[in-house]
Amino acid sequence: MVSSYPLPDGFSEFDVFSLGSCLLVEGLLGILLNAVTIISFFKIRELRTPSNFLVVSLAMADIGISMNATVAGFSSFLRYWPYGSDGCQLHGFQGFTTALASIHFVAAIAWDRYHQYCTRTKLQWSSAITLAIFVWLFCAMWSAFPLIGWGEYDYEPLRTCCTLDYSKGDRNYTSYLIPMSIFNMGIQIFVVMSSYQSIAQKFKKTGNPRFNPNIPLKTLLLCWGPYGIMSFYAVFENATLVSPKLRMIAPILAKTAPTIDAFLYALGNENYRGGIWQFLTGEKIEVPQIENKSK
C-alpha cells in the first residue's frame, strides 16, 4: 500500500518516516501528558481553582494540537493524505483553532500570574470561565475565515497535514495574516513579556524567586516563532523556494508545544504536580497553597 504512493517532492523515504515518527511521538506524548493534567483537575478537589482552570484550558487546547499531530503522523506513514479535500479543511481548521487557543491561554496564565505575584489579586471563577469562553470563540472565528475565502488551508510540504497556506503570498493571504497575527500572537507575546518582566522585578526585590520568569516567553517563541517567520517571509518572497525540509521545521517545533506546556505549567507547578501525583498514586503530598508556584 505504501509503495503505491509517490514520495512528496524534496523528501526521501527516510525523511518521510523520520518526520512522521516525530509527529506521532509528539502527538501521543502530548495527548498522554495533557490528559493526565485534565483528569487530575477534575478528580482532585484541591486543584479546582480558577487559576488552575486556565492551566487545564491550556491542556485542552494542547491536546487538540496533539490529536492533529497524531493524524498527521499516521498519514505520513501512508505517504499521502487519505481524508480528501474536506478532511484537509477540517484538519486545518481544528489545528489552527487549537494552536491559537494554546497561545492565548499561555498569555492568560501570564496575566494571571502577574496579578498573583505583583498585585496580590486572585482570579475569580466568573472571570476565568468568561475568559476561556471568549478565547475559544475568538480563535474559532479567526480559524473559520479561511473556510469562507479569507486566507486558505492547504497541505504542508510533507502533504500529510494541513494548515494555513502561505505558498501563494498574495493579497488575500497578506490581508488575513497581518491582522490575525496582531490579534492572535503579537498581543499575546506582549502580555507574556510584560507580565513576566514585572514578575522578575518583583522577585528581584523580594529575593524569593518562585520560578524562572524567563522560560515561558522563550518556549513560546521557540515553538511558534518559526511559523511566524515563515508566514511573514511569504508576504515578501516566494516561500516555495525555501527547501521543503526546512519548511517542515515549523510544524515539527509547533507540535512540541503541548509537551513543553505540560511540563512547564502542570508538572512544573508544585501545587498541580502534587495533585497529579495524588491522582496517579492516591498519595497526598502537602505543598504550600500558592497557585502557579513553579520551580
Side-chain angles (χ1 to χ4, degrees):
M1 180 177 179
V2 172
S3 61
S4 63
Y5 293 97
L7 290 167
D9 291 340
F11 295 93
S12 67
E13 189 79 53
F14 178 76
D15 295 332
V16 175
F17 178 80
S18 299
L19 292 171
S21 298
C22 286
L23 289 167
L24 189 60
V25 170
E26 288 174 337
L28 294 178
L29 184 58
I31 289 172
L32 174 63
L33 292 174
N34 287 286
V36 170
T37 299
I38 294 168
I39 296 171
S40 298
F41 176 82
F42 289 104
K43 290 288 187 180
I44 306 301
R45 181 176 58 83
E46 290 80 6
L47 290 184
R48 296 198 290 268
T49 66
S51 292
N52 284 340
F53 180 72
L54 295 182
V55 175
V56 84
S57 297
L58 172 63
M60 290 177 179
D62 283 341
I63 209 169
I65 297 174
S66 299
M67 292 168 64
N68 190 275
T70 302
V71 171
F74 279 118
S75 299
S76 297
F77 292 132
L78 297 176
R79 293 202 334 207
Y80 81 111
W81 177 255
Y83 308 109
S85 178
D86 290 342
C88 178
Q89 297 303 302
L90 179 60
H91 189 254
F93 172 78
Q94 185 270 343
F96 211 59
T97 300
T98 52
L100 295 183
S102 178
I103 295 170
H104 277 265
F105 282 121
V106 166
I109 291 171
W111 169 79
D112 177 48
R113 285 181 169 183
Y114 164 76
H115 285 290
Q116 286 186 49
Y117 293 109
C118 298
T119 70
R120 298 296 180 182
T121 303
K122 287 189 175 182
L123 183 66
Q124 301 300 311
W125 271 110
S126 58
S127 299
I129 293 173
T130 301
L131 179 59
I133 292 173
F134 171 79
V135 166
W136 283 111
L137 292 177
F138 189 74
C139 295
M141 178 190 73
W142 279 99
S143 301
F145 285 136
L147 299 177
I148 59 177
W150 192 26
E152 183 180 350
Y153 293 126
D154 206 345
Y155 299 105
E156 294 275 15
L158 199 60
R159 300 195 66 78
T160 57
C161 49
C162 299
T163 190
L164 183 68
D165 181 20
Y166 52 79
S167 64
K168 298 181 180 66
D170 55 13
R171 182 176 298 179
N172 177 54
Y173 168 79
T174 302
S175 67
Y176 172 74
L177 176 71
I178 292 176
M180 185 278 296
S181 299
I182 292 173
F183 288 111
N184 293 281
M185 180 167 279
I187 293 174
Q188 286 67 36
I189 290 175
F190 174 77
V191 169
V192 171
M193 181 174 62
S194 59
S195 295
Y196 286 112
Q197 282 180 347
S198 298
I199 292 171
Q201 293 173 0
K202 183 70 174 181
F203 286 169
K204 186 176 181 180
K205 288 181 181 179
T206 61
N208 185 28
R210 299 189 180 279
F211 59 89
N212 187 338
N214 297 317
I215 293 178
L217 179 61
K218 290 180 179 179
T219 58
L220 180 66
L221 294 177
L222 171 67
C223 293
W224 300 107
Y227 247 133
I229 292 171
M230 181 57 64
S231 297
F232 275 95
Y233 177 82
V235 173
F236 304 101
E237 299 290 343
N238 184 356
T240 59
L241 297 179
V242 178
S243 164
K245 294 180 186 178
L246 187 60
R247 281 186 280 148
M248 278 303 297
I249 292 176
I252 293 294
L253 284 177
K255 289 174 174 60
T256 63
T259 299
I260 292 174
D261 289 345
F263 278 104
L264 186 59
Y265 296 104
L267 294 172
N269 176 317
E270 188 175 357
N271 178 269
Y272 212 112
R273 185 169 63 248
I276 291 175
W277 180 259
Q278 183 179 347
F279 164 66
L280 294 175
T281 67
E283 179 183 348
K284 188 172 183 178
I285 299 178
E286 296 295 334
V287 296
Q289 296 301 308
I290 300 177
E291 296 179 287
N292 289 326
K293 179 179 178 181
S294 302
K295 288 186 176 181

